[in-house]
């Protein structure tokens, strides 16, 4: 019931604002315009905050996994005298893959920072093309993060396999 009343209230407020924006007198039009602008700014700020927090979470998650893998590799190396050469070669390969993923993660983080720090477009003509370019860059960053996550999952799976085999020997 309360949810329904809130929805009705929001519809009424939006309806009044839209009516005032197009059919009200000059003062009402200006007031409605200001409300829309402030609402847009608030929504944009909230969206930017959510994106920033998600990126921080993603970056931290990757860091923790890579740190844990590094610790596992050091543990295996310490007990290397009990392992055969094949296991050591596979361990070297896993460490190289981990280093490549760390480089990719740094590159992705720099791309995210560049998107956050990008200045807004300077003229109205370029607004749509700049927005499309920004959206394309964000989509590319998302694609790169998904690829990094898949590679990280593969690395973790391969590491688990190596550790199981090392324990069996």
């Amino acid at each position: 019931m309360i949810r329904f009343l809130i929805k009705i209230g929001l519809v009424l407020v939006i309806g009044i604002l839209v009516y005032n924006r197009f059919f009200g007198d000059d003062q009402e039009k200006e007031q409605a315009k200001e409300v829309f602008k402030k609402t847009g700014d608030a929504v944009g700020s909230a969206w930017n905050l959510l994106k920033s927090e998600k990126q921080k979470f993603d970056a931290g998650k990757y860091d923790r996994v890579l740190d844990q893998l590094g610790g596992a590799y050091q543990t295996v190396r310490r007990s290397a005298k009990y392992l055969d050469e094949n296991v050591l070669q596979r361990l070297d390969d896993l460490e190289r893959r981990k280093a490549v993923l760390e480089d990719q993660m740094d590159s992705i983080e720099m791309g995210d920072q560049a998107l956050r720090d990008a200045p807004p477009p300077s003229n109205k003509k370029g607004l749509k093309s700049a927005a499309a370019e920004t959206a394309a860059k964000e989509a590319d960053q998302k694609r790169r993060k998904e690829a990094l996550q898949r590679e990280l999952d593969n690395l973790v799976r391969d590491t688990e396999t190596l550790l199981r085999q090392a324990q069996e020997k």
Side-chain angles (χ1 to χ4, degrees):
M1 178 68 175
I2 293 175
R3 216 182 271 175
F4 177 73
L5 291 175
I6 291 173
K7 287 179 185 178
I8 294 295
L10 285 174
V11 169
L12 285 174
V13 168
I14 292 171
I16 291 169
L17 286 171
V18 169
Y19 178 82
N20 285 346
R21 177 73 175 106
F22 294 106
F23 302 112
D25 60 22
D26 289 338
Q27 181 185 4
E28 291 172 336
K29 285 182 180 181
E30 188 61 36
Q31 186 179 26
K33 184 178 178 181
E34 186 177 326
V35 169
F36 282 123
K37 181 180 177 195
K38 287 182 180 179
T39 302
D41 291 345
V43 169
S45 295
W47 180 252
N48 288 337
L49 174 68
L50 288 174
K51 281 184 9 181
S52 172
E53 289 302 315
K54 182 189 180 304
Q55 291 167 349
K56 289 177 185 176
F57 172 77
D58 289 345
K61 180 174 81 173
Y62 296 143
D63 288 338
R64 282 190 306 277
V65 170
L66 290 172
D67 289 343
Q68 289 171 350
L69 287 175
Y73 297 156
Q74 289 174 358
T75 302
V76 171
R77 280 234 184 262
R78 275 187 248 126
S79 61
K81 59 184 173 186
Y82 304 110
L83 302 176
D84 66 4
E85 189 62 33
N86 183 31
V87 173
L88 291 175
Q89 288 175 351
R90 289 177 52 206
L91 181 61
D92 289 339
D93 177 55
L94 291 173
E95 287 177 330
R96 280 192 294 277
R97 287 173 51 194
K98 176 183 168 276
V100 168
L101 289 178
E102 286 174 333
D103 291 342
Q104 289 177 357
M105 187 177 68
D106 291 342
S107 172
I108 289 171
E109 287 175 358
M110 288 186 340
D112 285 344
Q113 186 65 36
L115 282 173
R116 284 191 299 270
D117 294 344
S122 59
N123 60 14
K124 288 189 177 183
K125 278 186 177 179
L127 224 73
K128 287 184 182 178
S129 63
E133 184 179 326
T134 300
K137 287 179 182 178
E138 288 175 352
D140 183 54
Q141 285 293 96
K142 182 179 178 188
R143 181 192 55 76
R144 291 176 66 198
K145 286 178 184 178
E146 290 170 352
L148 178 67
Q149 182 64 47
R150 283 191 302 274
E151 288 298 318
L152 190 57
D153 291 341
N154 289 338
L155 182 62
V156 168
R157 187 179 57 246
D158 293 347
T159 300
E160 288 172 351
T161 301
L162 177 71
L163 292 175
R164 260 188 271 119
Q165 290 174 351
Q167 285 177 348
E168 292 172 359
K169 293 187 180 212

